Amino acid sequence: RHLHHGAAGPEPILPKLDTSAVSLVQVRCPKGFEIRAERTNGNWTLHWEGPHAEPLVYPADNAAVDKLLAALAHLKRDVFLTEAEVRLHPNADEEYRLDTPQASLIITQGNYRAHLLVGARTAPGDQVFLRVVAQEGLYLVDTSLLQSIPHSADDWRDRDLLHTSGPAFDRIAVTNNRTSFIVGRESANGAWRMVWPLFQARVDGVRISAGLENLEALRVQQFVADDPKPNLELYGLRTPELELALGQGTNLVALLQFGDSPSNHADQVYARRFGQNTIVTVPKKPLAPWRVASANDVRDSHLLELRTPVERIEVRGEDRFALESETNGGWRVQPQGFPADAELAA
């Protein structure tokens, strides 16, 4: 009987919140979990305490953090308990679970700071109690807010193994248990060529491009360990079965290492990005283009490399003649000058 519905067109609970201006989001849960998401140059980075009491840092899933901010920005002043009505319940904080909230959210935006406590669900289960610290009264909001709140750092981690932003890679060094080679992309025409050991040998550009697309689409299946001194032998990463060094010019952009498969997931492999302490698992199949027996396996098998449209083909055999292309896409046999069979010429 103490619930009051606001006037038509409920006001936002956080009217000053500008999602694009937020620089810090802190989430705390009763079990001691705490995570900070800091925004720098448009990207979110996660900070939290690891199992070894050392701070961990990892790229965040930008969309996941933005989803929470959008949910907070859309919270409306719909159902409200005044502070006087709350005092009618001597154990209100315990009853509404605001002394041990499901989550404590702190949003920092310049000089503006909002602290929210997400309490218990209502009896029907479709709403939760919400308090904005330093403001009087309580709100009831839809439980959809809970779907945007992380319960562990993994919920907000970026699951892309390769974070690509900027110029495309133009140099790839591949090392596995059977061979090593380096390929580079020519700046003039984008063609891939062997840099080492078969200098300037043409390579299968389709295979290389497909391999890169697979890497850029590779998603982490599980975050296995965060350890500054991991037991690499345990994951087959002491001597990786496959290692890919991706560069732009003379700069090393990323070094990816892939090891053994977990005993219960033969279709996955352990992996890590060198320079990070995190061990993850990723799908094994997309790595197939890089698992070759020798550098010859990535060479272009075509006899000729035709970079420009062919205008003339001279044939010397039992007869001597030439095929010349025409502006309409057809071919003509010379010196006789009669039209060539388009299908045979192609």
Side-chain angles (χ1 to χ4, degrees), residues 52-111:
H52 304 278
E54 295 188 12
L56 297 175
V57 181
Y58 201 86
D61 181 347
N62 292 329
V65 183
D66 291 339
K67 180 181 178 181
L68 173 61
L69 292 178
L72 295 176
H74 287 88
L75 285 178
K76 299 297 184 180
R77 184 190 181 105
D78 186 13
V79 179
F80 180 67
L81 257 66
T82 66
E83 192 62 27
E85 292 165 335
V86 173
R87 291 196 189 101
L88 295 177
H89 298 258
N91 299 318
D93 282 353
E94 181 179 350
E95 181 180 346
Y96 302 138
R97 197 182 158 188
L98 295 170
D99 54 346
T100 56
Q102 295 190 59
S104 171
L105 310 175
I106 300 177
I107 310 299
T108 302
Q109 169 189 315
N111 295 327

Side-chain angles (χ1 to χ4, degrees), residues 175-215:
T175 303
N176 59 42
N177 290 335
R178 294 171 289 182
T179 189
S180 298
F181 62 90
I182 302 174
V183 295
R185 194 202 317 257
E186 295 182 343
S187 57
N189 54 26
W192 289 95
R193 288 192 178 275
M194 192 77 68
V195 175
W196 181 87
L198 308 172
F199 182 67
Q200 286 299 306
R202 289 185 291 110
V203 299
D204 185 347
V206 174
R207 183 190 189 106
I208 299 299
S209 296
L212 278 177
E213 290 177 2
N214 289 355
L215 287 180

Side-chain angles (χ1 to χ4, degrees), residues 237-279:
L237 292 168
R238 176 76 63 188
T239 304
E241 290 190 2
L242 176 64
E243 187 173 84
L244 301 173
L246 309 172
Q248 171 65 29
T250 57
N251 298 322
L252 177 64
V253 178
L255 177 59
L256 306 179
Q257 298 176 323
F258 304 92
D260 297 336
S261 294
S263 58
N264 57 340
H265 285 288
D267 59 338
Q268 299 179 19
V269 293
Y270 292 111
R272 74 166 180 162
R273 183 164 175 165
F274 191 79
Q276 293 181 347
N277 297 327
T278 304
I279 307 295

Side-chain angles (χ1 to χ4, degrees), residues 21-346:
V22 174
S23 59
L24 176 65
V25 179
Q26 295 171 265
V27 180
R28 299 173 185 169
C29 293
K31 296 182 180 180
F33 165 72
E34 180 176 344
I35 189 171
R36 300 190 332 272
E38 299 180 3
R39 177 151 52 187
T40 305
N41 298 325
N43 290 312
W44 293 99
T45 303
L46 301 181
H47 303 258
W48 75 100
E49 295 297 325
H52 304 278
E54 295 188 12
L56 297 175
V57 181
Y58 201 86
D61 181 347
N62 292 329
V65 183
D66 291 339
K67 180 181 178 181
L68 173 61
L69 292 178
L72 295 176
H74 287 88
L75 285 178
K76 299 297 184 180
R77 184 190 181 105
D78 186 13
V79 179
F80 180 67
L81 257 66
T82 66
E83 192 62 27
E85 292 165 335
V86 173
R87 291 196 189 101
L88 295 177
H89 298 258
N91 299 318
D93 282 353
E94 181 179 350
E95 181 180 346
Y96 302 138
R97 197 182 158 188
L98 295 170
D99 54 346
T100 56
Q102 295 190 59
S104 171
L105 310 175
I106 300 177
I107 310 299
T108 302
Q109 169 189 315
N111 295 327
Y112 171 68
R113 184 174 183 268
H115 186 186
L116 298 87
L117 302 178
V118 183
R121 292 174 180 257
T122 57
D126 59 345
Q127 292 176 312
V128 294
F129 289 94
L130 178 73
R131 180 188 290 280
V132 179
V133 177
Q135 292 184 18
E136 293 189 345
L138 293 179
Y139 299 94
L140 282 175
V141 299
D142 192 274
T143 54
S144 59
L145 172 64
L146 300 177
Q147 300 174 7
S148 304
I149 299 175
H151 296 89
S152 72
D154 291 355
D155 292 344
W156 270 9
R157 291 212 223 192
D158 185 357
R159 289 186 174 268
D160 289 333
L161 182 67
L162 186 61
H163 313 292
T164 55
S165 58
F169 305 112
D170 60 9
R171 188 179 180 91
I172 309 170
V174 180
T175 303
N176 59 42
N177 290 335
R178 294 171 289 182
T179 189
S180 298
F181 62 90
I182 302 174
V183 295
R185 194 202 317 257
E186 295 182 343
S187 57
N189 54 26
W192 289 95
R193 288 192 178 275
M194 192 77 68
V195 175
W196 181 87
L198 308 172
F199 182 67
Q200 286 299 306
R202 289 185 291 110
V203 299
D204 185 347
V206 174
R207 183 190 189 106
I208 299 299
S209 296
L212 278 177
E213 290 177 2
N214 289 355
L215 287 180
E216 293 173 355
L218 208 57
R219 298 276 290 171
V220 172
Q221 302 298 297
Q222 182 182 3
F223 294 97
V224 178
D226 295 289
D227 191 337
K229 296 180 180 180
N231 182 359
L232 299 180
E233 196 72 39
L234 181 64
Y235 308 108
L237 292 168
R238 176 76 63 188
T239 304
E241 290 190 2
L242 176 64
E243 187 173 84
L244 301 173
L246 309 172
Q248 171 65 29
T250 57
N251 298 322
L252 177 64
V253 178
L255 177 59
L256 306 179
Q257 298 176 323
F258 304 92
D260 297 336
S261 294
S263 58
N264 57 340
H265 285 288
D267 59 338
Q268 299 179 19
V269 293
Y270 292 111
R272 74 166 180 162
R273 183 164 175 165
F274 191 79
Q276 293 181 347
N277 297 327
T278 304
I279 307 295
V280 303
T281 61
V282 297
K284 183 177 183 179
K285 187 176 180 179
L287 302 174
W290 307 107
R291 297 181 183 275
V292 296
S294 72
N296 286 322
D297 291 343
V298 298
R299 294 184 66 174
D300 189 348
S301 59
H302 294 90
L303 181 62
L304 297 177
E305 180 182 21
L306 303 177
R307 297 188 178 184
T308 58
V310 175
E311 297 179 350
R312 180 180 173 87
I313 303 175
E314 294 187 9
V315 181
R316 297 182 181 181
E318 295 182 1
D319 195 3
R320 298 183 62 174
F321 63 95
L323 289 176
E324 291 185 351
S325 64
E326 298 182 305
T327 56
N328 61 2
W331 293 86
R332 191 166 292 274
V333 179
Q334 301 295 353
Q336 293 86 351
F338 56 79
D341 183 295
E343 182 176 348
L344 292 176

